[in-house]
Amino acid sequence: GDAQVSGNAWVSKKTDIQWFTGVGSSSGTLTVCRAKDDGLFLSRGCFSGTLDQFKDAVDREHGDNQYGRHYQVIIRSIEVWFDVAEKGAA
């Protein structure tokens, strides 16, 4: 398809990348991968950035509506999968 891994991505093994399909108001795909700086790089529609930037974007765009709550579950899954500390930045 049209999938691309670019920017600061650093994917060297299968566990360095995940994607979630059918999310958000347009049922798109969220792609998450490790970045060269040991953080995470996320891409969803017109958004691309870090996990913290994504959290802020979700809060601004969706707040506590259905999409926002769904994204919060996905964010928690990302934190578990990539072993992101509760208070740590990614």
Side-chain angles (χ1 to χ4, degrees), residues 14-47:
K14 288 188 238 181
T15 57
D16 287 344
I17 189 166
Q18 273 198 327
W19 54 92
F20 301 85
T21 301
V23 297
S25 56
S26 62
S27 289
T29 297
L30 169 65
T31 303
V32 185
C33 63
R34 293 207 186 274
K36 291 179 185 178
D37 65 2
D38 289 329
L40 297 176
F41 175 80
L42 289 81
S43 176
R44 168 68 186 91
C46 62
F47 174 87

Side-chain angles (χ1 to χ4, degrees), residues 14-88:
K14 288 188 238 181
T15 57
D16 287 344
I17 189 166
Q18 273 198 327
W19 54 92
F20 301 85
T21 301
V23 297
S25 56
S26 62
S27 289
T29 297
L30 169 65
T31 303
V32 185
C33 63
R34 293 207 186 274
K36 291 179 185 178
D37 65 2
D38 289 329
L40 297 176
F41 175 80
L42 289 81
S43 176
R44 168 68 186 91
C46 62
F47 174 87
S48 62
T50 67
L51 180 58
D52 286 339
Q53 291 168 336
F54 185 71
K55 289 177 182 180
D56 290 343
V58 167
D59 284 343
R60 276 193 316 275
E61 182 70 25
H62 300 292
D64 193 39
N65 72 17
Q66 178 185 11
Y67 303 116
R69 292 190 310 273
H70 187 215
Y71 275 126
Q72 291 305 322
V73 171
I74 292 170
I75 288 167
R76 183 63 187 130
S77 177
I78 291 166
E79 291 172 336
V80 169
W81 182 258
F82 289 99
D83 198 24
V84 175
E86 286 290 322
K87 301 290 182 193

